Amino acid sequence: MTAPDKVIVVDWGASCLRAYLCLAVGKELTVLDSVSGPGVTKAGNDFEAVLTSVISSWSASYGGLPVLMSGHIGSNLGWHEAPYVFCPVSPVDVALHAVSFMAGIHKVYVIPGVSCADNDQHMDVMRGEEIHVLGWLKLDSRHEQGTHLLCLPGTHTKWVLVKDGVISMVKTAITGELYDLLCHQSVLIQQAAEQMDMCAFQRGAKLTLESENGQFVHGLFSVRTLQVLGRLKPEEASSYLSGLLIGSDIRAALMAQEWRLDELASITLIGSPPLCGLFETTMKMKQLTPGCVDDKQTCLSGFSAIYRAVLKE
Amino acid sequence: MTAPDKVIVVDWGASCLRAYLCLAVGKELTVLDSVSGPGVTKAGNDFEAVLTSVISSWSASYGGLPVLMSGHIGSNLGWHEAPYVFCPVSPVDVALHAVSFMAGIHKVYVIPGVSCADNDQHMDVMRGEEIHVLGWLKLDSRHEQGTHLLCLPGTHTKWVLVKDGVISMVKTAITGELYDLLCHQSVLIQQAAEQMDMCAFQRGAKLTLESENGQFVHGLFSVRTLQVLGRLKPEEASSYLSGLLIGSDIRAALMAQEWRLDELASITLIGSPPLCGLFETTMKMKQLTPGCVDDKQTCLSGFSAIYRAVLKE
């Protein structure tokens, strides 16, 4: 079939919908326009009405463009479930398991998530991040060879092991969600600071990074103790807590039994530059020098590859 | 001085006030009556009015009885601050640092908390638990000899190392607070079960107890993954989470560098029997056989010792 020269891509997560009108130029998509809307948990279950409303001006101008969609919208709490594809799997193959259906004049393709399920200890899932992994793979042909560790920080940090272009393992840490809960609703922090204090951040990261035995649940209370005893200012506390959490996340990744650091061809952070910066700072404390890629870049690159695979088949 | 035969003891914590009218029989106090009232965070800063109101019927019957008080009420957010006493310290000596003042017709004694402050890593505090440690010491003269580890589960688990009758170290894990936050406000649990499912609890505890490297922040997400992949029922999830948290708390205590298990003469749980039962079950999975003491017993025993030390000096 002849692929259309325009396509709509939608990252529809739990808390937010982001839609992009894209133009295909050669093999790559470029963004012409973008809009946002309510996430899956706020869309009131009438997903078709929400989507139709959000992209109505594009429909009016360009008619029934295909819609490529990823994220929580494909979960069992979303629109049409796109069941997880098991590891090991190449991200393009994930895209080929897309669930498609008509929504008004648009044909919609929902890209599934990925799961690992070898035993209880290693079971894990991701949904939405597979687009970024695919996008990262397509940025440089050397990424298709060897073993690489990707870290995608966010509400949940996803650690993704990629071997010879295939996703072989996913590991999740609820670092961001824990930070939000502890920062706003625990005894540890009276008021979160607006700006990150890098000195306090590194002090927290050092504590968990250098912990011999990973005593994270015992380390958290230091946020309060140090304040009570006058060794941490209240305005430094949230930065220190962020350091503790990210330090613990990275320590666990460094010690993970599922991969060996000396086997890795590269470690790469994919996400928003400020958040990736915190992870990068912490990794450097352990003499690691990760690459950093903006997730806007991997998103577009990933959907470009899916556009080629799904619509140009 | 001649000690009065009646005394009022008050455990005034952050969230609740519990007051007991006690009769001294020989060296021990027995409870004649009890009342409760608002915790420090809910008392609106007029602590004298709250106390006077709560104990008014006892004042009317018995006049100006002395009031022994412990807990958050002695913190810098409480009534009259009773500054922390540094470890190592015997719990009776802590009581001798009580801050006293008049509240209407009553003389009030606020017992200080205890802090460790050798370096950032080992800094910690407790306030209120020192009464239970003292009470436990007085239950059996053998407790005054050798090295003992006490575990007081609650919103915050306090691990207290006692050497030859002296508190030498405190360590806090925010296990209970984390459970509440994660159970009621995270993506992990949709609805907390009313009853503990011991099988799911032990499954969670096993995961963190047997973790080689203490990857707690990476293990938490299994609560969600196992549900998503159909290997954990939603009604088992909160029990499994409780197991993960208590397992992690106990694992950290077992691996702590501040004490060696083979040097301990005993390990004792002090708290409410249901909660102590969960910690005991988990410890037994590691072939530990802790003693369990109801905190009502240690509270009364502790205040009895303070009554003798402070009022019979």
Side-chain angles (χ1 to χ4, degrees), chain A residues 173-195:
Chain A
I174 67 164
T175 309
E177 185 170 358
L178 266 182
Y179 177 77
D180 281 340
L181 286 173
L182 292 171
C183 213
H184 299 117
Q185 298 183 58
S186 79
V187 73
L188 301 181
I189 307 279
Q190 302 309 309
Q191 183 163 15
E194 290 183 11
Q195 283 220 318

Side-chain angles (χ1 to χ4, degrees), chain A residues 248-268:
Chain A
S248 181
D249 190 348
I250 290 173
R251 177 188 176 282
L254 299 186
M255 314 277 291
Q257 294 178 296
E258 294 86 354
W259 52 73
R260 285 179 43 194
L261 286 186
D262 57 7
E263 286 176 349
L264 299 177
S266 74
I267 302 179
T268 303

Side-chain angles (χ1 to χ4, degrees), chain B residues 92 133-141 143-144 301-302 305 308:
Chain B
V92 168
V133 174
L134 174 57
W136 173 83
L137 277 168
K138 297 301 176 190
L139 289 181
D140 188 325
S141 61
H143 296 169
E144 299 272 1
S301 165
R308 296 192 296 274

Side-chain angles (χ1 to χ4, degrees), chain A residues 72 75-77 84 86 115-121 123-125 156 158-159 171-175 177-178 181-182 185-188 203 207 210-222 224-226 228-229 231 245 248-253 255-259, chain B residues 72 75-77 84 86 115-121 123-125 156 158-159 171-175 177-178 181-182 185-188 203 207 210-222 224-226 228-229 231 245 248-253 255-259:
Chain A
H72 199 55
S75 79
N76 61 0
L77 302 173
Y84 291 106
F86 287 118
S115 68
C116 328
D118 50 352
N119 63 43
D120 275 8
Q121 188 122 19
M123 285 177 81
D124 216 320
V125 294
H156 296 162
K158 299 288 178 180
W159 294 87
K171 240 183 150 174
T172 305
I174 67 164
T175 309
E177 185 170 358
L178 266 182
L181 286 173
L182 292 171
Q185 298 183 58
S186 79
V187 73
L188 301 181
R203 185 173 165 200
L207 187 72
E210 296 190 353
S211 154
E212 279 281 332
N213 297 306
Q215 302 164 353
F216 175 61
V217 77
H218 284 201
L220 278 178
F221 195 65
S222 66
R224 171 132 178 95
T225 315
L226 292 172
V228 167
L229 299 179
R231 300 206 194 173
L245 284 159
S248 181
D249 190 348
I250 290 173
R251 177 188 176 282
M255 314 277 291
Q257 294 178 296
E258 294 86 354
W259 52 73
Chain B
H72 198 56
S75 77
N76 61 359
L77 302 174
Y84 290 106
F86 287 119
S115 68
C116 328
D118 50 353
N119 63 43
D120 276 7
Q121 189 122 18
M123 284 178 82
D124 216 319
V125 294
H156 296 161
K158 299 289 178 181
W159 294 87
K171 239 183 149 174
T172 304
I174 66 165
T175 308
E177 186 171 357
L178 265 183
L181 287 174
L182 292 172
Q185 298 182 58
S186 79
V187 73
L188 300 181
R203 184 174 166 201
L207 186 73
E210 297 190 354
S211 154
E212 280 281 330
N213 297 306
Q215 302 166 351
F216 175 62
V217 77
H218 283 200
L220 279 177
F221 195 65
S222 66
R224 172 134 177 94
T225 315
L226 292 174
V228 166
L229 298 180
R231 300 205 193 174
L245 284 158
S248 181
D249 190 348
I250 290 174
R251 177 188 176 282
M255 313 277 289
Q257 294 178 297
E258 294 86 354
W259 51 73

Side-chain angles (χ1 to χ4, degrees), chain A residues 88-107:
Chain A
V89 64
S90 93
V92 167
D93 286 344
V94 174
L96 294 178
H97 285 84
V99 170
S100 65
F101 52 91
M102 293 303 295
I105 57 172
H106 297 277
K107 186 165 185 182

